[in-house]
PDB file of all heavy atoms in Angstrom:
ATOM      1  N   ILE O  35       8.874  -1.316  -2.944  1.00  0.00           N
ATOM      2  CA  ILE O  35       7.847  -1.659  -1.962  1.00  0.00           C
ATOM      3  C   ILE O  35       6.894  -2.675  -2.614  1.00  0.00           C
ATOM      4  O   ILE O  35       6.464  -2.505  -3.733  1.00  0.00           O
ATOM      5  CB  ILE O  35       6.981  -0.385  -1.686  1.00  0.00           C
ATOM      6  CG1 ILE O  35       7.861   0.727  -1.065  1.00  0.00           C
ATOM      7  CG2 ILE O  35       5.834  -0.677  -0.774  1.00  0.00           C
ATOM      8  CD1 ILE O  35       7.123   2.077  -1.094  1.00  0.00           C
ATOM      9  N   VAL O  36       6.663  -3.806  -1.862  1.00  0.00           N
ATOM     10  CA  VAL O  36       5.812  -4.875  -2.407  1.00  0.00           C
ATOM     11  C   VAL O  36       4.641  -5.038  -1.440  1.00  0.00           C
ATOM     12  O   VAL O  36       4.837  -5.398  -0.185  1.00  0.00           O
ATOM     13  CB  VAL O  36       6.611  -6.177  -2.535  1.00  0.00           C
ATOM     14  CG1 VAL O  36       5.625  -7.265  -3.019  1.00  0.00           C
ATOM     15  CG2 VAL O  36       7.792  -6.081  -3.506  1.00  0.00           C
ATOM     16  N   VAL O  37       3.455  -4.789  -1.921  1.00  0.00           N
ATOM     17  CA  VAL O  37       2.253  -4.943  -1.160  1.00  0.00           C
ATOM     18  C   VAL O  37       1.482  -6.216  -1.623  1.00  0.00           C
ATOM     19  O   VAL O  37       1.130  -6.279  -2.805  1.00  0.00           O
ATOM     20  CB  VAL O  37       1.314  -3.747  -1.239  1.00  0.00           C
ATOM     21  CG1 VAL O  37       0.126  -3.876  -0.244  1.00  0.00           C
ATOM     22  CG2 VAL O  37       2.088  -2.429  -0.919  1.00  0.00           C
ATOM     23  N   MET O  38       1.216  -7.139  -0.718  1.00  0.00           N
ATOM     24  CA  MET O  38       0.574  -8.392  -1.046  1.00  0.00           C
ATOM     25  C   MET O  38      -0.982  -8.199  -1.110  1.00  0.00           C
ATOM     26  O   MET O  38      -1.427  -7.499  -0.124  1.00  0.00           O
ATOM     27  CB  MET O  38       0.874  -9.498  -0.174  1.00  0.00           C
ATOM     28  CG  MET O  38       2.370  -9.858  -0.179  1.00  0.00           C
ATOM     29  SD  MET O  38       3.088 -10.244  -1.820  1.00  0.00           S
ATOM     30  CE  MET O  38       2.011 -11.721  -2.150  1.00  0.00           C
ATOM     31  N   LEU O  39      -1.636  -8.658  -2.090  1.00  0.00           N
ATOM     32  CA  LEU O  39      -3.092  -8.612  -2.103  1.00  0.00           C
ATOM     33  C   LEU O  39      -3.663  -9.842  -1.480  1.00  0.00           C
ATOM     34  O   LEU O  39      -3.067 -10.939  -1.556  1.00  0.00           O
ATOM     35  CB  LEU O  39      -3.569  -8.502  -3.548  1.00  0.00           C
ATOM     36  CG  LEU O  39      -3.657  -7.049  -4.158  1.00  0.00           C
ATOM     37  CD1 LEU O  39      -2.219  -6.489  -4.313  1.00  0.00           C
ATOM     38  CD2 LEU O  39      -4.282  -7.037  -5.484  1.00  0.00           C
ATOM     39  N   ASN O  40      -4.769  -9.655  -0.835  1.00  0.00           N
ATOM     40  CA  ASN O  40      -5.497 -10.837  -0.205  1.00  0.00           C
ATOM     41  C   ASN O  40      -7.004 -10.566  -0.165  1.00  0.00           C
ATOM     42  O   ASN O  40      -7.405  -9.483  -0.771  1.00  0.00           O
ATOM     43  CB  ASN O  40      -4.948 -11.131   1.272  1.00  0.00           C
ATOM     44  CG  ASN O  40      -5.041  -9.941   2.157  1.00  0.00           C
ATOM     45  OD1 ASN O  40      -5.975  -9.157   2.117  1.00  0.00           O
ATOM     46  ND2 ASN O  40      -3.953  -9.731   2.916  1.00  0.00           N
ATOM     47  N   GLU O  41      -7.806 -11.350   0.489  1.00  0.00           N
ATOM     48  CA  GLU O  41      -9.210 -11.128   0.528  1.00  0.00           C
ATOM     49  C   GLU O  41      -9.623  -9.779   1.123  1.00  0.00           C
ATOM     50  O   GLU O  41     -10.683  -9.221   0.832  1.00  0.00           O
ATOM     51  CB  GLU O  41      -9.889 -12.243   1.281  1.00  0.00           C
ATOM     52  CG  GLU O  41      -9.534 -12.468   2.741  1.00  0.00           C
ATOM     53  CD  GLU O  41      -8.248 -13.173   3.021  1.00  0.00           C
ATOM     54  OE1 GLU O  41      -7.598 -13.580   2.012  1.00  0.00           O
ATOM     55  OE2 GLU O  41      -7.944 -13.389   4.192  1.00  0.00           O
ATOM     56  N   ARG O  42      -8.727  -9.162   1.933  1.00  0.00           N
ATOM     57  CA  ARG O  42      -9.036  -7.916   2.590  1.00  0.00           C
ATOM     58  C   ARG O  42      -8.336  -6.703   1.859  1.00  0.00           C
ATOM     59  O   ARG O  42      -8.514  -5.566   2.228  1.00  0.00           O
ATOM     60  CB  ARG O  42      -8.692  -7.849   4.017  1.00  0.00           C
ATOM     61  CG  ARG O  42      -9.360  -8.878   4.865  1.00  0.00           C
ATOM     62  CD  ARG O  42      -9.160  -8.703   6.336  1.00  0.00           C
ATOM     63  NE  ARG O  42      -9.579  -7.342   6.806  1.00  0.00           N
ATOM     64  CZ  ARG O  42      -9.431  -6.863   8.005  1.00  0.00           C
ATOM     65  NH1 ARG O  42      -9.013  -7.719   8.926  1.00  0.00           N
ATOM     66  NH2 ARG O  42      -9.772  -5.644   8.340  1.00  0.00           N
ATOM     67  N   THR O  43      -7.531  -7.128   0.837  1.00  0.00           N
ATOM     68  CA  THR O  43      -6.708  -6.062   0.254  1.00  0.00           C
ATOM     69  C   THR O  43      -6.954  -6.087  -1.354  1.00  0.00           C
ATOM     70  O   THR O  43      -6.411  -6.956  -2.049  1.00  0.00           O
ATOM     71  CB  THR O  43      -5.256  -6.265   0.545  1.00  0.00           C
ATOM     72  OG1 THR O  43      -5.021  -6.400   1.922  1.00  0.00           O
ATOM     73  CG2 THR O  43      -4.370  -5.098  -0.084  1.00  0.00           C
ATOM     74  N   SER O  44      -7.678  -5.051  -1.832  1.00  0.00           N
ATOM     75  CA  SER O  44      -7.932  -4.931  -3.236  1.00  0.00           C
ATOM     76  C   SER O  44      -6.695  -4.262  -3.800  1.00  0.00           C
ATOM     77  O   SER O  44      -5.870  -3.701  -3.073  1.00  0.00           O
ATOM     78  CB  SER O  44      -9.174  -4.145  -3.535  1.00  0.00           C
ATOM     79  OG  SER O  44      -9.081  -2.840  -3.004  1.00  0.00           O
ATOM     80  N   GLU O  45      -6.695  -4.106  -5.137  1.00  0.00           N
ATOM     81  CA  GLU O  45      -5.560  -3.370  -5.733  1.00  0.00           C
ATOM     82  C   GLU O  45      -5.574  -1.878  -5.362  1.00  0.00           C
ATOM     83  O   GLU O  45      -4.563  -1.243  -5.110  1.00  0.00           O
ATOM     84  CB  GLU O  45      -5.745  -3.486  -7.329  1.00  0.00           C
ATOM     85  CG  GLU O  45      -4.620  -2.761  -8.051  1.00  0.00           C
ATOM     86  CD  GLU O  45      -4.786  -2.994  -9.584  1.00  0.00           C
ATOM     87  OE1 GLU O  45      -5.445  -3.986  -9.980  1.00  0.00           O
ATOM     88  OE2 GLU O  45      -4.124  -2.208 -10.292  1.00  0.00           O
ATOM     89  N   ALA O  46      -6.803  -1.331  -5.258  1.00  0.00           N
ATOM     90  CA  ALA O  46      -6.994   0.102  -4.777  1.00  0.00           C
ATOM     91  C   ALA O  46      -6.480   0.311  -3.375  1.00  0.00           C
ATOM     92  O   ALA O  46      -5.720   1.225  -3.129  1.00  0.00           O
ATOM     93  CB  ALA O  46      -8.428   0.527  -4.939  1.00  0.00           C
ATOM     94  N   VAL O  47      -6.760  -0.645  -2.469  1.00  0.00           N
ATOM     95  CA  VAL O  47      -6.233  -0.556  -1.142  1.00  0.00           C
ATOM     96  C   VAL O  47      -4.735  -0.661  -1.083  1.00  0.00           C
ATOM     97  O   VAL O  47      -4.047   0.068  -0.405  1.00  0.00           O
ATOM     98  CB  VAL O  47      -6.959  -1.642  -0.256  1.00  0.00           C
ATOM     99  CG1 VAL O  47      -6.250  -1.615   1.064  1.00  0.00           C
ATOM    100  CG2 VAL O  47      -8.393  -1.322  -0.040  1.00  0.00           C
ATOM    101  N   ALA O  48      -4.246  -1.663  -1.836  1.00  0.00           N
ATOM    102  CA  ALA O  48      -2.732  -1.793  -1.950  1.00  0.00           C
ATOM    103  C   ALA O  48      -2.071  -0.587  -2.400  1.00  0.00           C
ATOM    104  O   ALA O  48      -1.031  -0.140  -1.930  1.00  0.00           O
ATOM    105  CB  ALA O  48      -2.453  -2.952  -2.769  1.00  0.00           C
ATOM    106  N   ALA O  49      -2.671   0.110  -3.377  1.00  0.00           N
ATOM    107  CA  ALA O  49      -2.118   1.358  -3.990  1.00  0.00           C
ATOM    108  C   ALA O  49      -2.060   2.438  -2.963  1.00  0.00           C
ATOM    109  O   ALA O  49      -1.091   3.243  -2.955  1.00  0.00           O
ATOM    110  CB  ALA O  49      -2.903   1.756  -5.246  1.00  0.00           C
ATOM    111  N   ARG O  50      -3.081   2.524  -2.129  1.00  0.00           N
ATOM    112  CA  ARG O  50      -3.099   3.538  -1.112  1.00  0.00           C
ATOM    113  C   ARG O  50      -2.042   3.415  -0.128  1.00  0.00           C
ATOM    114  O   ARG O  50      -1.337   4.265   0.240  1.00  0.00           O
ATOM    115  CB  ARG O  50      -4.413   3.687  -0.407  1.00  0.00           C
ATOM    116  CG  ARG O  50      -5.657   4.237  -1.281  1.00  0.00           C
ATOM    117  CD  ARG O  50      -6.782   4.611  -0.420  1.00  0.00           C
ATOM    118  NE  ARG O  50      -7.409   3.550   0.185  1.00  0.00           N
ATOM    119  CZ  ARG O  50      -8.465   2.882  -0.289  1.00  0.00           C
ATOM    120  NH1 ARG O  50      -8.802   3.124  -1.513  1.00  0.00           N
ATOM    121  NH2 ARG O  50      -8.910   1.928   0.315  1.00  0.00           N
ATOM    122  N   TRP O  51      -1.793   2.117   0.269  1.00  0.00           N
ATOM    123  CA  TRP O  51      -0.775   1.843   1.224  1.00  0.00           C
ATOM    124  C   TRP O  51       0.694   2.160   0.599  1.00  0.00           C
ATOM    125  O   TRP O  51       1.557   2.762   1.140  1.00  0.00           O
ATOM    126  CB  TRP O  51      -0.746   0.384   1.678  1.00  0.00           C
ATOM    127  CG  TRP O  51      -1.804   0.182   2.824  1.00  0.00           C
ATOM    128  CD1 TRP O  51      -3.049  -0.146   2.740  1.00  0.00           C
ATOM    129  CD2 TRP O  51      -1.503   0.342   4.212  1.00  0.00           C
ATOM    130  NE1 TRP O  51      -3.627  -0.230   3.930  1.00  0.00           N
ATOM    131  CE2 TRP O  51      -2.700   0.080   4.883  1.00  0.00           C
ATOM    132  CE3 TRP O  51      -0.315   0.666   4.876  1.00  0.00           C
ATOM    133  CZ2 TRP O  51      -2.835   0.090   6.318  1.00  0.00           C
ATOM    134  CZ3 TRP O  51      -0.378   0.665   6.372  1.00  0.00           C
ATOM    135  CH2 TRP O  51      -1.631   0.455   6.939  1.00  0.00           C
ATOM    136  N   ALA O  52       0.844   1.688  -0.678  1.00  0.00           N
ATOM    137  CA  ALA O  52       2.081   1.901  -1.290  1.00  0.00           C
ATOM    138  C   ALA O  52       2.416   3.325  -1.471  1.00  0.00           C
ATOM    139  O   ALA O  52       3.587   3.878  -1.301  1.00  0.00           O
ATOM    140  CB  ALA O  52       2.123   1.276  -2.724  1.00  0.00           C
ATOM    141  N   GLU O  53       1.406   4.155  -1.745  1.00  0.00           N
ATOM    142  CA  GLU O  53       1.559   5.670  -1.853  1.00  0.00           C
ATOM    143  C   GLU O  53       2.007   6.252  -0.527  1.00  0.00           C
ATOM    144  O   GLU O  53       2.779   7.142  -0.484  1.00  0.00           O
ATOM    145  CB  GLU O  53       0.328   6.300  -2.413  1.00  0.00           C
ATOM    146  CG  GLU O  53       0.083   5.961  -3.894  1.00  0.00           C
ATOM    147  CD  GLU O  53      -1.311   6.457  -4.377  1.00  0.00           C
ATOM    148  OE1 GLU O  53      -2.004   7.028  -3.609  1.00  0.00           O
ATOM    149  OE2 GLU O  53      -1.587   6.212  -5.581  1.00  0.00           O
ATOM    150  N   ARG O  54       1.269   5.820   0.578  1.00  0.00           N
ATOM    151  CA  ARG O  54       1.650   6.378   1.848  1.00  0.00           C
ATOM    152  C   ARG O  54       3.084   6.088   2.262  1.00  0.00           C
ATOM    153  O   ARG O  54       3.901   6.926   2.771  1.00  0.00           O
ATOM    154  CB  ARG O  54       0.751   5.748   2.951  1.00  0.00           C
ATOM    155  CG  ARG O  54      -0.720   6.307   2.958  1.00  0.00           C
ATOM    156  CD  ARG O  54      -1.532   5.572   3.989  1.00  0.00           C
ATOM    157  NE  ARG O  54      -1.045   5.839   5.357  1.00  0.00           N
ATOM    158  CZ  ARG O  54      -1.435   5.308   6.452  1.00  0.00           C
ATOM    159  NH1 ARG O  54      -2.461   4.373   6.365  1.00  0.00           N
ATOM    160  NH2 ARG O  54      -0.945   5.539   7.660  1.00  0.00           N
ATOM    161  N   VAL O  55       3.505   4.884   1.993  1.00  0.00           N
ATOM    162  CA  VAL O  55       4.885   4.467   2.326  1.00  0.00           C
ATOM    163  C   VAL O  55       5.868   5.246   1.498  1.00  0.00           C
ATOM    164  O   VAL O  55       6.902   5.740   1.953  1.00  0.00           O
ATOM    165  CB  VAL O  55       5.055   2.899   2.128  1.00  0.00           C
ATOM    166  CG1 VAL O  55       6.461   2.488   2.488  1.00  0.00           C
ATOM    167  CG2 VAL O  55       4.115   2.146   3.106  1.00  0.00           C
ATOM    168  N   THR O  56       5.608   5.292   0.195  1.00  0.00           N
ATOM    169  CA  THR O  56       6.445   6.054  -0.739  1.00  0.00           C
ATOM    170  C   THR O  56       6.641   7.526  -0.257  1.00  0.00           C
ATOM    171  O   THR O  56       7.752   8.083  -0.286  1.00  0.00           O
ATOM    172  CB  THR O  56       5.920   6.001  -2.239  1.00  0.00           C
ATOM    173  OG1 THR O  56       5.836   4.600  -2.623  1.00  0.00           O
ATOM    174  CG2 THR O  56       6.751   6.802  -3.128  1.00  0.00           C
ATOM    175  N   ALA O  57       5.528   8.121   0.093  1.00  0.00           N
ATOM    176  CA  ALA O  57       5.587   9.556   0.492  1.00  0.00           C
ATOM    177  C   ALA O  57       6.433   9.759   1.703  1.00  0.00           C
ATOM    178  O   ALA O  57       7.036  10.793   1.895  1.00  0.00           O
ATOM    179  CB  ALA O  57       4.157  10.051   0.723  1.00  0.00           C
ATOM    180  N   GLU O  58       6.489   8.737   2.560  1.00  0.00           N
ATOM    181  CA  GLU O  58       7.352   8.932   3.803  1.00  0.00           C
ATOM    182  C   GLU O  58       8.768   8.404   3.577  1.00  0.00           C
ATOM    183  O   GLU O  58       9.680   9.009   4.100  1.00  0.00           O
ATOM    184  CB  GLU O  58       6.817   8.034   4.972  1.00  0.00           C
ATOM    185  CG  GLU O  58       5.431   8.455   5.486  1.00  0.00           C
ATOM    186  CD  GLU O  58       4.832   7.650   6.566  1.00  0.00           C
ATOM    187  OE1 GLU O  58       5.683   6.968   7.286  1.00  0.00           O
ATOM    188  OE2 GLU O  58       3.619   7.601   6.760  1.00  0.00           O
ATOM    189  N   LEU O  59       8.932   7.486   2.573  1.00  0.00           N
ATOM    190  CA  LEU O  59      10.257   6.872   2.459  1.00  0.00           C
ATOM    191  C   LEU O  59      11.183   7.830   1.678  1.00  0.00           C
ATOM    192  O   LEU O  59      12.362   7.908   2.022  1.00  0.00           O
ATOM    193  CB  LEU O  59      10.086   5.512   1.726  1.00  0.00           C
ATOM    194  CG  LEU O  59      11.264   4.646   1.737  1.00  0.00           C
ATOM    195  CD1 LEU O  59      11.812   4.383   3.058  1.00  0.00           C
ATOM    196  CD2 LEU O  59      10.877   3.342   1.079  1.00  0.00           C
ATOM    197  N   ILE O  60      10.736   8.516   0.611  1.00  0.00           N
ATOM    198  CA  ILE O  60      11.536   9.291  -0.220  1.00  0.00           C
ATOM    199  C   ILE O  60      12.233  10.392   0.592  1.00  0.00           C
ATOM    200  O   ILE O  60      13.536  10.515   0.516  1.00  0.00           O
ATOM    201  CB  ILE O  60      10.784   9.878  -1.447  1.00  0.00           C
ATOM    202  CG1 ILE O  60      10.517   8.811  -2.391  1.00  0.00           C
ATOM    203  CG2 ILE O  60      11.519  11.044  -2.113  1.00  0.00           C
ATOM    204  CD1 ILE O  60       9.520   9.176  -3.633  1.00  0.00           C
ATOM    205  N   PRO O  61      11.602  11.196   1.347  1.00  0.00           N
ATOM    206  CA  PRO O  61      12.327  12.212   2.122  1.00  0.00           C
ATOM    207  C   PRO O  61      13.202  11.617   3.161  1.00  0.00           C
ATOM    208  O   PRO O  61      14.375  12.147   3.386  1.00  0.00           O
ATOM    209  CB  PRO O  61      11.142  12.948   2.886  1.00  0.00           C
ATOM    210  CG  PRO O  61       9.904  12.701   2.153  1.00  0.00           C
ATOM    211  CD  PRO O  61      10.168  11.278   1.575  1.00  0.00           C
TER     212      PRO O  61
END
């Protein structure tokens, strides 16, 4: 999973999205 950072996306925000996607993708 690759989350791009931009002016609206900090590292913390990107991490929250990556965690949500990971939690759904693994099962």
Side-chain angles (χ1 to χ4, degrees):
I35 301 164
V36 180
V37 186
M38 299 303 299
L39 276 65
N40 55 39
E41 62 277 2
R42 297 190 59 179
T43 307
S44 65
E45 183 177 340
V47 170
R50 287 198 296 271
W51 277 92
E53 288 171 4
R54 287 179 62 188
V55 176
T56 298
E58 294 181 20
L59 194 52
I60 287 175

